[in-house]
Amino acid sequence: MGKIIAIANQKGGVGKTTTTINLGASLAAEGKKVLIIDADPQANATSGYGIKPSELSSSIYECLVDDYPVDGSQVPTCVEGLELVGSHINLAGAEIELINRPNREQAMANCLKSVVDKYDYILIDCSPSLGLITVNALTAAHSVIIPVQAEYFALEGITKLINTIRIIKPKLNPGLEIEGFLLTMYDARLRLANQIYEELKGHFGDMVFNTVIPRNIRLSEAPSHGIPAIVYDAESRGATSHIALAKEIIEKHKRAANN
């Protein structure tokens, strides 16, 4: 069975979509079959792969609201082994449309049941909020990656997300685990960035990934070309750091399976 990982943090601008796009491509480069679910109405993960939301025949919105099957809503990307269920601005209204439905928090989990065995990894790119669609993603996921920006207010928003996870676990998803905290936009020259990494490690220990994602111009430029960093510039630090992250995750899951 595939592993469903939500990438979530209600704080905006921490690198959720960058992580989703590039981790997905890196897992595929490591030979894994990957599906990305763009669960953000801004549809940046969709456009980050060069796909226009307006040209999708169906998106995650139709899957959640109109019961379109996910199997058939995927589109191929420029990376072999990587498919995407895109997003659309309509997703912004999905919370209102789902609000009166029974088991509304389970809509995403129900959508993914038919495809979870077809992929090694399903990554869900969450919007910067803790609304109903993000709750759906956390209810569907086996684990959550929490990107944390290497800046002063970085640790502030984590408490809210952890509290949300604590509420979701007993009521909606007892198996939900924190896959790890991922430090993003890291600049090793800055004392503050190193302090934040040490603070994260002090609070969360082994739950913090060894891999950190550096500030990198090539990583920032890649989405404007509609391709992930490993396609845009495979030798860049942004690309190599995501490959390292993919290897770290694969190795972690291999160890867990053998225990």
Side-chain angles (χ1 to χ4, degrees):
M1 189 172 77
K3 178 104 176 175
I4 303 173
I5 304 176
I7 290 129
N9 188 332
Q10 79 280 5
K11 196 172 185 299
V14 299
K16 287 185 295 297
T17 300
T18 299
T19 299
T20 306
I21 290 170
N22 291 287
L23 175 58
S26 299
L27 287 167
E30 289 296 308
K32 302 299 179 184
K33 195 158 171 29
V34 182
L35 177 67
I36 287 177
I37 306 288
D38 189 350
D40 185 347
Q42 295 176 80
N44 290 334
T46 305
S47 58
Y49 276 107
I51 296 161
K52 293 180 179 176
S54 60
E55 293 178 0
L56 293 168
S57 58
S58 60
S59 68
I60 193 62
Y61 168 82
E62 283 81 15
C63 297
L64 291 171
V65 174
D66 298 326
D67 298 322
Y68 275 48
V70 168
D71 203 4
S73 297
Q74 318 99 313
V75 292
T77 69
C78 56
V79 179
E80 189 178 346
L82 176 65
E83 295 179 325
L84 171 109
V85 176
S87 186
H88 191 277
I89 191 62
N90 288 354
L91 188 62
E95 300 206 356
I96 295 166
E97 294 181 68
L98 290 172
I99 202 80
N100 292 319
R101 285 200 187 179
N103 303 316
R104 63 193 179 198
E105 299 90 354
Q106 307 281 354
M108 181 98 59
N110 292 333
C111 282
L112 296 181
K113 277 178 186 172
S114 64
V115 294
V116 71
D117 290 330
K118 295 183 66 172
Y119 298 93
D120 297 303
Y121 289 95
I122 297 176
L123 305 182
I124 307 174
D125 184 31
C126 297
S127 66
S129 76
L130 291 177
L132 182 56
I133 302 301
T134 298
V135 169
N136 259 269
L138 294 173
T139 302
H142 298 117
S143 63
V144 54
I145 291 173
I146 304 172
V148 181
Q149 192 176 359
E151 291 192 357
Y152 182 69
F153 292 112
L155 302 177
E156 270 194 353
I158 292 177
T159 309
K160 281 184 188 172
L161 181 56
I162 290 173
N163 285 340
T164 301
I165 291 167
R166 283 180 181 148
I167 292 165
I168 286 171
K169 269 193 81 156
K171 293 181 177 178
L172 297 168
N173 188 0
L176 181 63
E177 301 291 343
I178 293 175
E179 187 73 36
F181 295 88
L182 176 67
L183 198 64
T184 61
M185 304 178 201
Y186 178 77
D187 187 340
R189 298 168 301 177
L190 300 179
R191 186 189 300 170
L192 177 62
N194 292 300
Q195 283 175 346
I196 288 167
Y197 184 72
E198 292 305 321
E199 208 168 321
L200 263 181
K201 274 284 192 187
H203 276 295
F204 301 110
D206 291 343
M207 293 167 74
V208 181
F209 287 110
N210 294 321
T211 305
V212 297
I213 308 300
R215 283 194 180 277
N216 180 249
I217 290 169
R218 307 299 271 173
L219 189 60
S220 302
E221 288 174 345
S224 67
H225 296 272
I227 51 176
I230 61 165
V231 177
Y232 184 58
D233 183 353
E235 301 300 316
S236 67
R237 287 190 308 133
T240 57
S241 62
H242 282 95
I243 287 284
L245 176 64
K247 288 179 174 175
E248 187 175 346
I249 288 169
I250 291 166
E251 187 58 37
K252 179 182 175 183
H253 294 161
K254 201 182 290 180
R255 285 198 308 270
N258 291 334
N259 287 341

